[in-house]
């Protein structure tokens, strides 16, 4: 057997593998669609991420928390909107049939529906969508804002108490005291208004401090009108109020003040983890707030967080704080850290899915090989003995490659295009497949199977099953390369070579 014949046999074998791989791809895609493999794997991967890995949720309580939080993330509008379905009678009808088939298969196998009362979920979630939905579900921004409001309220009370002590310490005449008290009453009302505006989200923390500094300046100027600087009390008032005002106006004091009023992410997540050193912050959240709807909502969210997630978010928060900046900047960096964390986890999950899909592909390929009696050893024998079959298969293989020279089987459209061309080719060529007489198992004179023939058939089926599992894209690229090599070898020599 010369080399061209061997190459023709290889081309014929690869063409048959490509034909069966296309069929396997369609069947596997249909099964994946009906059983929601991609969407289910994504949901389970997110649960693994939340639980801190395969060893994260060992007890039932933590497992329930993981499952509950994953369901909450999926019901968040940011994620929910990703699961958009095509409209129309045919699309909705097909979707309804696939969902019912999926439910039937789950009931038959006893597999739990990871989507709860929903039939499906998104097959892909962008990292930024997951990060935004997680922070929104955990209400991190609301909690930090609540802490900041509480701290600003306390800061206001401390400042007013300090100013009141300064005023009461002055040796004022009876005629001046009511005027100073009136000015202090005005300052108290203005400070309260600034804090109330901040609580109603009508300004930033820095803007609120600027407003309080401005009101304090008005109070000092108006009070000094009734406190002549020449008197000892007036000079002492001016000196002490200058220190109070400096806590607002000094660049360094303002930075320190913002740090005190704005809770850091790591401090907040330490609070969630109930670390001993931050029990003061825990008291800030809980004090006089147990009847507040916001408090109850936050407390429910914190109680539902699995311990593994608290640890992971605490580490990410420390990374986000490394670059400094105010709370908003830290929150943005924190969200980026969660996106990186999610992407890294999804890369590992993608590898797991591919390994699982490969295992299913081998089983499916072997089943197709047995059903179609695609015995690689028999196929090679038939191609080597039947020159007409060999040349016909090679002709169609060459035409397929030439028509799709720039095509890559990496999407449904290209797969369908090549599948249609292969189907037309199969109408005109009888491949050595099926259970016709030439492909059947050989029997002895008494109708018994020859053991060597049976072993050969089993080995041929397994070999074909593994080959089919390699995928249509692999065999199409291999077919293109082999035909290109054969064509290059058939080129006539150039004039210079002759």
């Amino acid at each position: 057997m010369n080399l061209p014949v061997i190459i023709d046999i290889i081309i014929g074998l690869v063409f048959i593998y490509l034909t069966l791989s296309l069929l396997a791809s369609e069947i596997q895609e249909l099964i994946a669609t009906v059983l929601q493999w991609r969407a289910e794997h994504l949901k389970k991967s997110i649960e693994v991420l939340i639980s801190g890995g395969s060893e994260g949720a060992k007890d039932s309580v933590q497992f329930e928390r993981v499952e509950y939080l994953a369901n909450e993330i999926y019901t968040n509008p940011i994620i929910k909107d990703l699961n958009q379905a095509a409209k129309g009678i045919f699309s909705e009808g097909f979707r309804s049939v696939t969902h019912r088939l999926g439910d039937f298969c789950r009931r038959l196998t006893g597999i739990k529906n990871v989507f709860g009362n929903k039939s499906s979920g998104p097959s892909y979630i962008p990292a930024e969508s997951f990060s935004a939905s997680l922070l929104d579900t955990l209400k991190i921004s609301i909690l930090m804002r609540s802490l900041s409001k509480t701290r600003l309220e306390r800061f206001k009370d401390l400042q007013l108490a300090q100013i009141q002590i300064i005023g009461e310490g002055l040796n004022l005449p009876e005629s001046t005291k009511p005027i100073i008290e009136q000015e202090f009453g005005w300052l108290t009302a203005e400070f309260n208004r600034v804090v109330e505006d901040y609580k109603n989200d009508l300004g930033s923390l820095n803007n609120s401090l600027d407003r309080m500094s401005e009101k304090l300046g008005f109070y000092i100027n108006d009070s000094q009108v009734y406190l002549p600087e020449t008197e000892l009390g007036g000079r002492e008032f001016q000196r002490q109020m200058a220190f109070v005002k400096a806590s607002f106006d000094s660049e360094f004091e303002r930075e320190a003040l913002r740090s005190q009023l704005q809770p850091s992410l790591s401090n907040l997540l330490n609070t969630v983890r109930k670390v001993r050193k931050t029990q003061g912050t825990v008291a800030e959240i809980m004090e006089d707030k147990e009847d507040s709807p916001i408090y109850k909502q936050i407390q429910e969210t914190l109680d539902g967080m699995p311990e593994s997630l608290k640890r992971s978010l605490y580490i990410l928060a420390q990374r986000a704080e490394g670059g400094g900046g105010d709370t908003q900047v830290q929150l943005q960096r924190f969200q980026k850290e969660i996106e990186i964390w999610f992407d890294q986890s999804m890369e590992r999950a993608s590898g797991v899915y591919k390994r699982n899909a490969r295992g299913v592909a081998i089983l499916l390929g072997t089943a197709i090989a047995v059903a179609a009696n695609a015995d690689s050893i028999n196929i090679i024998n038939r191609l080597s003995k039947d020159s007409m079959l060999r040349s016909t298969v090679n002709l169609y293989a060459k035409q397929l490659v030439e028509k799709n020279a720039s095509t890559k089987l990496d999407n449904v459209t290209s797969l369908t295009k090549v599948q249609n061309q292969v189907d037309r080719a199969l109408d005109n060529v009888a491949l050595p497949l099926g259970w016709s007489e030439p492909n059947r198992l050989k029997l002895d004179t008494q109708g018994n199977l020859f053991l060597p023939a049976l072993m050969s058939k089993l080995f041929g089926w397994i070999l074909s099953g593994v080959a089919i599992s390699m995928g249509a894209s692999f065999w199409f690229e291999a077919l293109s390369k082999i035909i290109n090599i054969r064509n290059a070898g058939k080129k006539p020599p150039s004039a210079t070579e002759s």
Side-chain angles (χ1 to χ4, degrees), residues 43-96:
K43 176 75 180 297
K44 291 177 180 177
S45 299
I46 289 176
E47 290 180 356
V48 170
L49 175 65
I50 293 172
S51 67
S54 57
E55 300 295 327
K58 295 182 179 180
D59 58 85
S60 59
V61 175
Q62 292 299 314
F63 181 79
E64 288 176 2
R65 288 183 178 183
V66 168
E67 194 175 44
Y68 172 79
L69 182 56
N71 291 335
E72 287 294 301
I73 292 173
Y74 265 66
T75 56
N76 189 284
I78 300 173
I79 301 298
K80 197 174 181 180
D81 291 344
L82 295 175
N83 193 29
Q84 295 180 355
K87 302 297 182 182
I89 297 176
F90 294 106
S91 298
E92 292 178 358
F94 175 76
R95 190 162 57 251
S96 176

Side-chain angles (χ1 to χ4, degrees), residues 411-467:
N411 56 64
V412 176
T413 304
S414 57
L415 277 171
T416 304
K417 177 184 175 183
V418 173
Q419 177 70 64
N420 292 335
Q421 294 176 13
V422 170
D423 289 343
R424 287 195 295 270
L426 294 180
D427 293 336
N428 301 314
V429 60
L431 296 178
L433 304 173
W435 293 91
S436 59
E437 181 61 32
N439 302 322
R440 288 180 187 171
L441 288 168
K442 304 303 180 184
L443 305 177
D444 60 16
T445 55
Q446 282 141 7
N448 298 320
L449 289 172
F450 283 115
L451 183 59
L454 178 60
M455 296 301 295
S456 174
K457 181 68 72 175
L458 289 174
F459 179 74
W461 285 339
I462 294 172
L463 187 61
S464 296
V466 174

Side-chain angles (χ1 to χ4, degrees), residues 218-258:
F218 290 152
Y219 167 76
I220 295 173
N221 292 334
D222 291 346
S223 298
Q224 283 178 339
V225 173
Y226 305 99
L227 297 172
E229 191 175 338
T230 55
E231 294 185 7
L232 182 60
R235 289 198 299 272
E236 183 63 19
F237 174 82
Q238 186 176 5
R239 186 183 70 82
Q240 293 190 39
M241 292 306 299
F243 284 116
V244 177
K245 189 76 163 55
S247 64
F248 289 92
D249 298 341
S250 169
E251 179 181 349
F252 299 107
E253 291 293 334
R254 173 65 69 88
E255 184 65 29
L257 184 56
R258 278 200 301 265

